[in-house]
Amino acid sequence: MGLLTIAAASVITAGGAVVAAPVVLGAIGFTSIGIAAGSYAAGMMSTAAIANGGGVAAGSLVALLQSAGMAGLTAGATAGVASTGGVLGGIAALII
């Protein structure tokens, strides 16, 4: 596979990851109005609360995902998601 193909796959998957991230967050229960009852996110929140003695710690994975679900991804998170998606897409193109 040529470098141009790998670069194109990286760009496409980087954009796809940025578009898919809010959809995936909503699908697992991190919605714009809070954590959906009975969802995977609710299970994560329950586990985190039990582990922390009754509350979800600020800065924890659950807190960060809830923030992203409610307010959207920050610029740093968007860059991280795009970078990860691009790298994984490039690796997949290299392998395939």
Side-chain angles (χ1 to χ4, degrees):
M1 195 144 307
L3 285 176
L4 186 58
T5 304
I6 293 170
S10 295
V11 169
I12 290 168
T13 54
V18 170
V19 171
V23 174
V24 171
L25 285 172
I28 63 173
F30 293 103
T31 70
S32 61
I33 58 171
I35 291 180
S39 66
Y40 182 75
M44 286 180 65
M45 184 176 182
S46 174
T47 301
I50 291 168
N52 289 312
V56 176
S60 68
L61 179 62
V62 174
L64 293 173
L65 291 174
Q66 181 55 41
S67 176
M70 292 188 79
L73 297 175
T74 63
T78 300
V81 167
S83 298
T84 303
V87 167
L88 294 177
I91 291 171
L94 185 63
I95 292 171
I96 297 172

